[in-house]
Amino acid sequence: MPTALGVDVGSTNVKAALIDADGVGIAVTQRALRSDRDGPAVTQDAGAMWDAVVDTVAELTAAHPDAAGEIGTIGVCSQYSSIVPVGADARPVAPMVMWSDHRGTDHSLAILADDDAFLTWLDRHGIPPLGSGLALAHILHLQHDRPELLDATHAWLEPMDYVTARLTGRITATQHSMFMAQLCDNRRLDTTEYDDGLVTMAGVDATKLPPLVPVDEPVGTLHPDVADALGVPADVIVLPGTNDTAIVGVAAGMARPGRAGLAIGTTSVVVDTVDRKDTDIDHEILSMPGIDPDRYLVFAENGYGGRLVEYVLDEIVHASDVIADHGTDDLFARLDAVLQETGAGVDGTLFLPWLGGSLAPSASPGMRGGFVNVSLATRRVDLVRAVTEGVAHNLAWLLPHVETFTGRAIDELAFVGGAARSPGWCQVLADVLGRTVTPTIDPDTAVARAAARLALSRAGHLDADIVADGVELGRPHEPDPAHRELYDLHQEQFEAAFAALRPISETLTTFHGARQ
């Protein structure tokens, strides 16, 4: 019976999952990825990323040769709004411009000099051309600020399409995968054409745009050399790449009534589904083309999540500097002990999680965060707990707006990502959000497994209803009613702190940014 591979390319690692014909995981493995920062530029070596994909898959297939010999299909998902400029052979001609790189924003904002541009984009696509890390800005940056690359560039690809191109030798994209390029008319789904009006208004070189294919039709089979390197049959079918937000929804089984997906990895994302194109511009929530030709996906990006806990543990709790060396090999080893030892609300200490700007439900690139209401009684363990609560309060601010957007209540959040490994953090989320939070089994690899399941289903080897149910779930965490009054009060003050501190943050961020 056919098996399947799922490849999940994140910002910080590549994960690969091998599943059997019933959709059950056989094995998973991963490799770390590194980004390079130089002032406003954030890039990643796309060649090294591809090598990590090959090494990760090859490790799996070498360890499970019988299952590897039965692989019939591969599903790829990735982080997105990142652009890889590639040559005709699908090899990168420059580093990948990451989603956190804001270069090209000036070129995006220049589009808005046309009085019709804002409403045109809002009506046809869903997002105005505002830059700030969107893929269209990255394309314009490469086109206008890196003209020396143009002759060598055959196409600008999102990372999931870059990987499928390296796998098959065929350069393609979909309306779904190119959403952040902002060049398709999304008023109808399953289009395989860019919108000529948007392309012209943006001033994008259309010859560098990858051809669009249907989201649910195969890209092709593996290139023979790649098949040998991966240790799999050459006739393996490769499905179009998808963004990781969509696969979080697949992993969560978000089609079930009352359930939505929650991912906390580098960022926090809420995932749901609707049957219409719509934009709540006031709260940065919109629908994007999904992975089904008749459904839209709700896009509700909450900003940094797990990265904040990692930052505080690494730079404050376990810092190694001229003061002392408090380093550790496992930053998160004591997190659950901390959450068990500290009390809800940590005596009124709040953490404001906007260390890299805020996104939904109120976007401000210049917003910054930190701790407020710290007293002499506040301990470092209290600060760690406050960070987990701050991430939860940011989500609690977002969720009602998502429910209004979709018109349906969210009673349960199926939880994927690294943070879901922590029972203590699951309980903090349930208590702050006032909703059931249920982690997936092996949440670190749930997205890769879901990508493999989706591929197996689309190849006709797994019932679609099994995929729709999501991956296996663990023990649900119910909110403790004893904490409701406390967290309601904290939520009110959390949102008030954003409003009060926003002008201060934006002034300081603008001043110091101008001096760099």
Side-chain angles (χ1 to χ4, degrees):
M1 293 291 288
T3 59
L5 272 171
V7 177
D8 172 20
V9 181
S11 300
T12 59
N13 53 53
V14 171
K15 297 170 185 172
L18 179 60
I19 66 168
D20 65 20
D22 296 320
V24 177
I26 296 172
V28 295
T29 189
Q30 63 182 305
R31 292 287 189 279
L33 296 174
R34 182 177 67 87
S35 294
D36 298 306
R37 294 179 179 271
D38 183 10
V42 186
T43 60
Q44 200 169 91
D45 184 335
M49 182 259 277
W50 168 249
D51 290 342
V53 170
V54 173
D55 291 347
T56 304
V57 173
E59 179 182 333
L60 276 183
T61 59
H64 302 276
D66 291 342
E70 298 297 321
I71 292 173
T73 184
I74 295 177
V76 178
C77 70
S78 77
Q79 52 90 2
Y80 57 113
S81 211
S82 301
I83 292 294
V84 186
V86 301
D89 60 358
R91 295 177 182 271
V93 299
M96 174 166 60
V97 183
M98 295 290 285
W99 55 269
S100 49
D101 187 318
H102 285 197
R103 288 177 297 171
T105 295
D106 54 341
H107 301 304
S108 290
L109 295 178
I111 299 169
L112 296 176
D114 184 328
D115 292 339
D116 295 330
F118 186 93
L119 291 179
T120 299
W121 252 274
L122 199 63
D123 178 47
R124 298 185 194 178
H125 177 269
I127 307 177
L130 300 174
S132 300
L134 298 180
L136 175 58
H138 299 150
I139 289 171
L140 292 172
H141 158 66
L142 291 167
Q143 179 175 314
H144 295 303
D145 303 332
R146 301 291 307 277
E148 75 279 5
L149 296 176
L150 287 181
D151 285 344
T153 299
H154 182 77
W156 296 301
L157 296 180
E158 285 275 8
M160 73 286 278
D161 296 322
Y162 164 67
V163 173
T164 63
R166 293 295 300 264
L167 288 169
T168 64
R170 183 186 178 200
I171 293 173
T172 64
T174 67
Q175 178 186 15
H176 163 76
S177 68
M178 287 294 281
F179 176 70
M180 289 302 185
Q182 299 177 265
L183 297 173
C184 288
D185 185 338
N186 295 320
R187 290 174 294 186
R188 71 179 183 91
L189 293 174
D190 209 25
T191 182
T192 54
E193 302 290 337
Y194 296 99
D195 183 274
D196 289 339
L198 297 180
V199 172
T200 300
M201 292 177 75
V204 168
D205 182 347
T207 67
K208 308 296 184 184
L209 295 173
L212 300 179
V213 299
V215 72
D216 56 353
E217 291 186 8
V219 174
T221 55
L222 291 176
H223 188 282
D225 292 343
V226 172
D228 289 343
L230 298 180
V232 301
D235 61 353
V236 169
I237 296 171
V238 179
L239 275 295
T242 60
N243 69 45
D244 53 9
T245 296
I247 302 301
V248 165
V250 174
M254 65 179 176
R256 288 192 171 188
R259 182 190 289 177
L262 170 63
I264 300 182
T266 300
T267 61
S268 298
V269 182
V270 177
V271 187
D272 211 332
T273 181
V274 289
D275 60 1
R276 71 190 190 281
K277 176 192 171 296
D278 202 355
T279 301
D280 177 359
I281 195 167
D282 291 333
H283 300 107
E284 307 292 326
I285 302 170
L286 54 94
S287 55
M288 72 166 84
I291 53 175
D292 295 313
D294 59 351
R295 295 291 294 177
Y296 290 89
L297 190 71
V298 175
F299 177 75
E301 172 67 64
N302 201 213
Y304 282 122
R307 178 70 182 92
L308 301 173
V309 178
E310 180 185 37
Y311 167 78
V312 169
L313 290 173
D314 191 30
E315 297 294 336
I316 298 176
V317 177
H318 295 294
S320 297
D321 50 32
V322 295
I323 297 174
D325 182 357
H326 297 289
T328 179
D329 292 332
D330 187 351
L331 292 174
F332 293 91
R334 304 297 297 167
L335 178 60
D336 278 303
V338 167
L339 297 177
Q340 184 175 6
E341 193 265 344
T342 51
V346 284
D347 294 325
T349 299
L350 288 177
F351 177 73
L352 311 181
W354 309 294
L355 302 192
S358 64
L359 294 175
S362 184
S364 169
M367 186 63 189
R368 294 296 181 266
F371 296 96
V372 297
N373 210 43
V374 174
S375 74
L376 290 175
T378 305
R379 306 163 298 165
R380 64 176 177 171
V381 289
D382 297 323
L383 297 178
V384 173
R385 183 185 183 92
V387 177
T388 66
E389 292 183 351
V391 172
H393 281 299
N394 209 28
L395 285 162
W397 188 16
L398 173 62
L399 279 178
H401 298 294
V402 174
E403 291 174 317
T404 299
F405 187 87
T406 63
R408 67 174 193 159
I410 298 173
D411 303 313
E412 179 188 20
L413 288 156
F415 189 16
V416 306
R421 290 177 298 171
S422 165
W425 201 346
C426 290
Q427 191 59 50
V428 166
L429 285 162
D431 290 343
V432 173
L433 300 176
R435 303 155 200 261
T436 302
V437 174
T438 307
T440 57
I441 299 295
D442 296 326
D444 269 338
T445 62
V447 169
R449 299 196 322 270
R453 281 180 159 210
L454 180 66
L456 197 62
S457 174
R458 290 197 162 159
H461 302 305
L462 185 65
D463 192 300
D465 289 340
I466 295 176
V467 178
D469 283 341
V471 300
E472 302 84 354
L473 297 180
R475 178 180 69 85
H477 294 257
E478 303 293 344
D480 185 343
H483 299 321
R484 188 71 271 134
E485 181 180 7
L486 180 152
Y487 281 130
D488 283 347
L489 173 67
H490 279 218
Q491 186 66 39
E492 181 180 352
Q493 299 311 309
F494 176 89
E495 294 175 29
F498 180 90
L501 295 177
R502 180 174 183 170
I504 299 172
S505 282
E506 290 178 345
T507 298
L508 292 172
T509 302
T510 299
F511 175 79
H512 286 281
R515 290 167 60 90
Q516 292 179 355

